[in-house]
Amino acid sequence: MIEGILVGLGTALNPVNILFVFAGCLIGTFIGMLPGLGPMSAIALMIPVAASLEPATGIILMAAVYYGAIFGGSTSSILINAPGVASTVATSFDGYPMAKAGKAGKALAIAAYSSFSGGVIAAIFLLVAAPFLAAVSLSFHSADYFALMVLGLTAVAAFAGKGDVLKALLMTVIGLMLSTVGTDQTQGVPRFTLGLIDLTDGISFLLLVMATFALSEALIAILKPSGDNKRQEEMEASSNLGSMKVSGEEVREMAPVIGRSSVLGFIIGVLPGAGATIASFLAYGTEQRLAGPEKGKLFGKGSVRGLSAPETANNAAATGSFVPLLTLGIPGSGTTAIMLGALIGYGIQPGPRLYIDQPAVFWSVIVSMWIGNIVLLILNLPLIPYIAKVLAIPSRFLLPLILFFSLIGVYFVTFNTFDIQLMVLFGLVAVMLRFLDFPMAPMILGFILGGMMEENLRRALLINNDSWSFLWQRPLTFAILLIALFCLFAPMIWSNVQRLRKGADRAGEGG
């Protein structure tokens, strides 16, 4: 391994490769900032450029664009509540409230430090444990993946306010239902399409998330005009970047969160098909439960933990996703699937022998991740004051811009006007649901996990001759499901315990 690291250092520290790491990080960051674009779009744009480069240089460039886009994707989530990338949806839950409170600079700084830490820690794990983790990921069966998706759905407890667990569960079911619209991948039969050809490919994630977050946010701002005093306060908060300095107390609060979320994100990233989105939601839900009743109430209102956890986890998962790609030749996400195509285009076959047959490619990509994360931090921190200036734009200009970028971002993906009409419909429904205090995050989570859950459930049933015994026959599957049950019912049990304690204390005082 030491010899491989030295080969990787020699390749990655080549001036040309360092230049492409810098360029990839810069390009990825700016593309990730734009609502409607993400890592897949960024890497797809880079393929023609990478094809003309040496294999190691081309893969280093695309890897830099990948984690640069993940890094930059938090910006639109924090500033305008428009998470154009699935993995930054959870970032908006606390990042956007912090920005509205006049702490945009601090929110962006926390996101930058968390992203950097998650990426660097995961790169160390990748360096040490890649061959071993490849064998571990192979031991996961369809039943285990299904159980993992169920565990991911238990994160709805983190998005539910007090007494609103039923609302969160209902929105999760709606998300799962929406994920079934389109062509059945197993039988090739259209379902729930209402006879519309435009729905045969299903509902786009980007369409749904932009409608329920960015579009509904803009419509609510229009429908609920602020009074003069409130508008002045909002303008002052928006134009005030606030201190970018993270206090010692906040650093102490972030440190254990970063440690836990890095490990969790990396492990989830290693599993083929899991990815940064599941990692960010799981990390958010985990930290909300670990925060306790007092600090747990701050989640969704500008919590430092709530912002740091998903930002750390999604960057750690992005790094972890290179384990199945490089060691097994299995793409863990749509983005790494594009990179797999690029590797095959170079005549390189990813798999268990890659780090033996092509050590320069394998190790240089890993080493370049350290360099890339340092470059990202150096690039982003000085740019924060300028990026945050978007908040100083008056609402009469900013709201139309949000509407424009939301609609155009969705249209540019499919060039289909039906998607614009559907997005407006979803946006109007989301506005009504938000006025009734229904949380949007569980629906997005259900939609994201729905397709993967169905696919893995079908495989598990097929292998077990349509028997549900796989739920308890495999120890790993059973253990994950037990953890999911605990995560789902723990908040209810905790609240009942607290109520009993208060009752006992009152009885003791009365006695």
Side-chain angles (χ1 to χ4, degrees), residues 277-292:
T277 305
I278 296 173
S280 62
F281 277 103
L282 275 178
Y284 187 89
T286 301
E287 290 304 324
Q288 196 270 350
R289 283 186 280 272
L290 291 175

Side-chain angles (χ1 to χ4, degrees), residues 105-106 109-110 113 243-251 254 304:
K106 178 168 284 192
I110 289 170
Y113 290 130
S243 173
M244 286 169 52
K245 185 179 178 182
V246 181
S247 68
E249 184 181 347
E250 288 167 335
V251 170
M254 286 167 58
V304 172

Side-chain angles (χ1 to χ4, degrees), residues 287-375:
E287 290 304 324
Q288 196 270 350
R289 283 186 280 272
L290 291 175
E294 292 301 319
K295 292 197 173 180
K297 291 177 183 176
L298 299 176
F299 277 63
K301 300 175 183 176
S303 166
V304 172
R305 291 188 183 196
L307 175 57
S308 181
E311 270 303 289
T312 304
N314 63 26
N315 280 268
T319 303
S321 67
F322 280 85
V323 173
L325 174 68
L326 296 175
T327 59
L328 300 175
I330 300 172
S333 63
T335 309
T336 49
I338 296 173
M339 295 187 71
L340 174 63
L343 279 167
I344 293 170
Y346 282 124
I348 297 171
Q349 182 58 54
R353 289 193 59 82
L354 177 63
Y355 64 96
I356 298 170
D357 297 336
Q358 298 279 351
V361 173
F362 182 85
W363 295 108
S364 63
V365 169
I366 296 173
V367 173
S368 73
M369 289 179 181
W370 292 339
I371 302 169
N373 278 286
I374 294 169
V375 168

Side-chain angles (χ1 to χ4, degrees), residues 180-191 193 199-202:
T180 63
V181 175
T183 303
D184 188 317
Q185 296 300 315
T186 304
Q187 299 178 356
V189 178
R191 57 185 183 179
T193 59
L199 286 176
T200 52
D201 289 333

Side-chain angles (χ1 to χ4, degrees), residues 106-142:
K106 178 168 284 192
L108 290 168
I110 289 170
Y113 290 130
S114 300
S115 299
F116 170 77
S117 303
V120 168
I121 292 170
I124 294 170
F125 290 156
L126 179 61
L127 183 72
V128 175
F132 168 73
L133 289 171
V136 171
S137 65
L138 278 176
S139 67
F140 265 69
H141 294 185
S142 298

Side-chain angles (χ1 to χ4, degrees), residues 154-325:
T154 60
V156 296
F159 309 128
K162 192 172 181 181
D164 287 340
V165 176
L166 283 178
K167 284 184 177 180
L169 290 172
L170 178 61
M171 294 303 289
T172 306
V173 171
I174 291 173
L176 290 169
M177 290 168 65
L178 290 174
S179 72
T180 63
V181 175
T183 303
D184 188 317
Q185 296 300 315
T186 304
Q187 299 178 356
V189 178
R191 57 185 183 179
F192 310 120
T193 59
L194 305 176
L196 298 171
I197 296 174
D198 295 296
L199 286 176
T200 52
D201 289 333
I203 298 167
S204 162
F205 159 76
L206 180 64
L207 182 156
L208 189 63
V209 78
M210 295 299 277
T212 52
F213 284 90
L215 189 60
S216 66
E217 185 72 34
L219 291 173
I220 286 173
I222 293 167
L223 292 171
K224 293 173 68 176
S226 305
D228 290 339
N229 293 335
K230 189 174 179 183
R231 184 179 295 278
Q232 185 62 33
E233 288 173 9
E234 287 180 354
M235 285 298 298
E236 287 176 5
S238 296
S239 59
N240 178 26
L241 172 65
S243 173
M244 286 169 52
K245 185 179 178 182
V246 181
S247 68
E249 184 181 347
E250 288 167 335
V251 170
R252 286 191 292 274
E253 190 173 4
M254 286 167 58
V257 174
I258 286 172
R260 287 189 295 265
S261 299
S262 295
V263 175
L264 176 63
F266 183 72
I267 292 170
I268 297 298
V270 166
L271 304 175
T277 305
I278 296 173
S280 62
F281 277 103
L282 275 178
Y284 187 89
T286 301
E287 290 304 324
Q288 196 270 350
R289 283 186 280 272
L290 291 175
E294 292 301 319
K295 292 197 173 180
K297 291 177 183 176
L298 299 176
F299 277 63
K301 300 175 183 176
S303 166
V304 172
R305 291 188 183 196
L307 175 57
S308 181
E311 270 303 289
T312 304
N314 63 26
N315 280 268
T319 303
S321 67
F322 280 85
V323 173
L325 174 68

